[in-house]
Amino acid sequence: MNNKSLYQKWGKRTLDICLSAIALILLSPVLLFVALLVKFKLGSPVIFKQERPGKDEVIFSMYKFRTMTDEKDESGNYLPDDVRLTKFGQLLRATSLDELPELWNILKGDMSFVGPRPLLVEYLPLYNEEQRRRHSVRPGLTGLAQVKGRNAISWDEKFAYDVGYINKISFKLDVIIILYTVKKVVKREGIAQSDVIATTEKFKGN
């Protein structure tokens, strides 16, 4: 077994456990501070929980800090995302602070630091066989698609990067992706698809 295979089988998960545990301890003051701000500005619940497909399409609950209000129309339906997404919520997303609770998902084994981002469960029937390969590994807090454009690139490009990452997973590549992710977050690049779309446009299949 070569070094690349060893990393994929043992090293990647070992690093995820060690680094997520350390990060949760060191960032606990930040997590508490952001939680208090969310509680004050957006109310409860502070944590947004949503079902997402993980490795082998096993469904898990992904945790994020809440970024939108619960405003509804007269029929009881939620208002559009761009209406419910506050300036405070936009700031959390732009700085990726809303993603910090996913460190718990990494520690639990639902996710990895690097991998294809976990998408909506409703997308599962829409993938072709090549796109479905993205679920052959743990989803990531960040990934190749995120450093190549994040939400500013098309779905076809995202899936191509996801599969490309799976084909060449290595410790070196993961380090490069993490470093580029920090750069993207600092520069706040690729947060949304355009100035008129608050969040990512939904995938509608092929």
Side-chain angles (χ1 to χ4, degrees):
M1 188 177 291
N2 58 37
N3 290 337
K4 183 177 179 180
S5 298
L6 282 171
Y7 175 69
Q8 291 183 35
K9 189 169 184 179
W10 306 108
K12 189 173 173 69
R13 179 61 191 144
T14 301
L15 281 176
D16 283 339
I17 293 171
C18 295
L19 294 179
S20 60
I22 293 170
L24 282 168
I25 294 170
L26 294 180
L27 295 176
S28 56
V30 178
L31 285 160
L32 178 59
F33 180 67
V34 174
L36 291 173
L37 285 177
V38 172
K39 174 71 174 177
F40 176 74
K41 292 181 173 292
L42 298 175
S44 296
V46 170
I47 298 294
F48 171 73
K49 182 174 73 171
Q50 190 174 54
E51 301 298 292
R52 298 289 177 98
K55 186 177 185 295
D56 300 323
E57 299 185 359
V58 175
I59 307 301
F60 72 96
S61 294
M62 187 180 77
Y63 304 105
K64 300 176 74 170
F65 279 123
R66 180 181 177 187
T67 58
M68 293 192 289
T69 67
D70 287 331
E71 294 176 272
K72 297 179 180 179
D73 60 22
E74 296 177 352
S75 301
N77 299 312
Y78 284 114
L79 294 177
D81 287 354
D82 57 349
V83 175
R84 296 190 296 123
L85 182 61
T86 64
K87 289 185 177 180
F88 172 67
Q90 289 176 337
L91 176 63
L92 289 183
R93 293 188 180 191
T95 56
S96 292
L97 287 172
D98 64 317
E99 309 277 0
L100 287 180
E102 290 170 46
L103 290 168
W104 177 244
N105 287 120
I106 296 173
L107 184 62
K108 285 173 57 186
D110 301 323
M111 296 175 61
S112 176
F113 272 100
V114 181
R117 283 292 294 168
L119 302 177
L120 299 178
V121 174
E122 66 188 71
Y123 295 166
L124 286 176
L126 304 179
Y127 299 131
N128 60 34
E129 287 305 310
E130 184 71 2
Q131 293 166 347
R132 194 173 295 277
R133 290 184 57 208
R134 69 192 313 280
H135 295 121
S136 63
V137 299
R138 286 184 178 86
L141 181 65
T142 185
L144 189 58
Q146 280 59 54
V147 300
K148 292 293 187 178
R150 206 171 176 181
N151 291 333
I153 58 177
S154 70
W155 280 111
D156 284 342
E157 291 173 302
K158 288 181 185 179
F159 292 138
Y161 285 127
D162 288 343
V163 175
Y165 169 76
I166 292 168
N167 291 337
K168 50 187 177 183
I169 294 174
S170 68
F171 174 73
K172 179 180 178 180
L173 179 59
D174 280 1
V175 171
I176 291 172
I177 289 173
I178 290 171
L179 291 176
Y180 270 98
T181 298
V182 173
K183 179 183 176 182
K184 286 279 184 181
V185 170
V186 170
K187 291 189 173 183
R188 301 186 185 181
E189 295 176 345
I191 305 301
Q193 287 181 310
S194 72
D195 293 336
V196 296
I197 301 176
T199 54
T200 307
E201 187 176 3
K202 284 195 171 185
F203 177 56
K204 299 175 182 178
N206 299 282

